[in-house]
CSV table of all heavy atoms in Angstrom, one decimal:
chain,number,residue,atom,x,y,z
A,245,CYS,N,27.1,235.5,87.0
A,245,CYS,CA,26.9,235.8,88.4
A,245,CYS,C,27.6,234.8,89.3
A,245,CYS,O,27.5,233.6,89.0
A,245,CYS,CB,25.4,235.9,88.7
A,245,CYS,SG,24.6,237.3,88.0
A,246,ILE,N,28.1,235.2,90.4
A,246,ILE,CA,28.7,234.4,91.4
A,246,ILE,C,27.9,234.2,92.6
A,246,ILE,O,27.4,235.2,93.2
A,246,ILE,CB,30.1,234.9,91.7
A,246,ILE,CG1,31.0,234.8,90.5
A,246,ILE,CG2,30.7,234.2,92.9
A,246,ILE,CD1,32.4,235.4,90.6
A,247,ARG,N,27.7,233.0,93.1
A,247,ARG,CA,26.9,232.7,94.3
A,247,ARG,C,27.6,231.7,95.2
A,247,ARG,O,28.6,231.1,94.8
A,247,ARG,CB,25.6,232.0,93.9
A,247,ARG,CG,24.6,232.9,93.1
A,247,ARG,CD,24.1,234.0,94.0
A,247,ARG,NE,23.1,234.9,93.3
A,247,ARG,CZ,23.5,236.0,92.6
A,247,ARG,NH1,24.8,236.3,92.5
A,247,ARG,NH2,22.5,236.7,92.0
A,248,ASP,N,27.1,231.6,96.4
A,248,ASP,CA,27.7,230.7,97.4
A,248,ASP,C,26.7,229.5,97.6
A,248,ASP,O,25.8,229.5,98.3
A,248,ASP,CB,27.8,231.5,98.7
A,248,ASP,CG,28.4,230.7,99.9
A,248,ASP,OD1,28.3,229.5,99.8
A,248,ASP,OD2,29.0,231.3,100.8
A,249,TYR,N,27.1,228.4,96.9
A,249,TYR,CA,26.2,227.2,96.9
A,249,TYR,C,26.6,226.4,98.1
A,249,TYR,O,27.8,226.1,98.3
A,249,TYR,CB,26.3,226.4,95.6
A,249,TYR,CG,25.8,227.3,94.4
A,249,TYR,CD1,26.7,228.0,93.6
A,249,TYR,CD2,24.5,227.4,94.2
A,249,TYR,CE1,26.3,228.8,92.6
A,249,TYR,CE2,24.0,228.2,93.2
A,249,TYR,CZ,24.9,228.9,92.4
A,249,TYR,OH,24.4,229.7,91.3
A,250,ILE,N,25.6,226.0,98.9
A,250,ILE,CA,25.9,225.2,100.1
A,250,ILE,C,25.0,223.9,100.1
A,250,ILE,O,23.8,224.0,99.7
A,250,ILE,CB,25.6,226.0,101.4
A,250,ILE,CG1,25.9,225.2,102.7
A,250,ILE,CG2,24.3,226.7,101.4
A,250,ILE,CD1,26.0,226.0,103.9
A,251,HIS,N,25.6,222.8,100.5
A,251,HIS,CA,24.9,221.5,100.5
A,251,HIS,C,23.8,221.6,101.5
A,251,HIS,O,24.0,222.0,102.7
A,251,HIS,CB,25.8,220.4,100.8
A,251,HIS,CG,25.3,219.0,100.4
A,251,HIS,ND1,24.2,218.4,101.1
A,251,HIS,CD2,25.7,218.1,99.5
A,251,HIS,CE1,24.0,217.2,100.6
A,251,HIS,NE2,24.9,217.0,99.6
A,252,VAL,N,22.6,221.1,101.1
A,252,VAL,CA,21.4,221.2,102.0
A,252,VAL,C,21.7,220.4,103.3
A,252,VAL,O,21.2,220.8,104.4
A,252,VAL,CB,20.2,220.6,101.3
A,252,VAL,CG1,20.3,219.2,100.9
A,252,VAL,CG2,18.9,220.9,102.1
A,253,MET,N,22.5,219.4,103.3
A,253,MET,CA,22.8,218.7,104.6
A,253,MET,C,23.7,219.5,105.5
A,253,MET,O,23.6,219.5,106.7
A,253,MET,CB,23.4,217.3,104.3
A,253,MET,CG,22.4,216.2,103.9
A,253,MET,SD,20.9,216.1,104.8
A,253,MET,CE,21.5,215.6,106.4
A,254,ASP,N,24.6,220.2,104.9
A,254,ASP,CA,25.4,221.2,105.7
A,254,ASP,C,24.5,222.2,106.4
A,254,ASP,O,24.7,222.6,107.5
A,254,ASP,CB,26.5,221.8,104.8
A,254,ASP,CG,27.7,220.9,104.6
A,254,ASP,OD1,28.0,220.1,105.4
A,254,ASP,OD2,28.3,221.0,103.5
A,255,LEU,N,23.6,222.6,105.6
A,255,LEU,CA,22.6,223.6,106.1
A,255,LEU,C,21.8,223.0,107.2
A,255,LEU,O,21.6,223.6,108.3
A,255,LEU,CB,21.7,224.1,105.0
A,255,LEU,CG,21.1,225.5,105.1
A,255,LEU,CD1,22.1,226.6,105.4
A,255,LEU,CD2,20.4,225.9,103.8
A,256,ALA,N,21.3,221.8,107.0
A,256,ALA,CA,20.5,221.1,108.1
A,256,ALA,C,21.3,221.0,109.4
A,256,ALA,O,20.8,221.3,110.4
A,256,ALA,CB,20.0,219.8,107.5
A,257,GLU,N,22.5,220.6,109.2
A,257,GLU,CA,23.4,220.4,110.4
A,257,GLU,C,23.6,221.7,111.1
A,257,GLU,O,23.7,221.8,112.3
A,257,GLU,CB,24.7,219.7,110.0
A,257,GLU,CG,24.5,218.3,109.6
A,257,GLU,CD,25.6,217.7,108.8
A,257,GLU,OE1,26.7,218.4,108.7
A,257,GLU,OE2,25.5,216.6,108.3
A,258,GLY,N,23.7,222.8,110.3
A,258,GLY,CA,23.8,224.2,110.9
A,258,GLY,C,22.6,224.5,111.8
A,258,GLY,O,22.8,225.2,112.8
Side-chain angles (χ1 to χ4, degrees):
C245 292
I246 292 175
R247 292 290 182 274
D248 182 334
Y249 298 98
I250 179 168
H251 197 292
V252 63
M253 282 314 295
D254 281 327
L255 206 50
E257 289 161 11

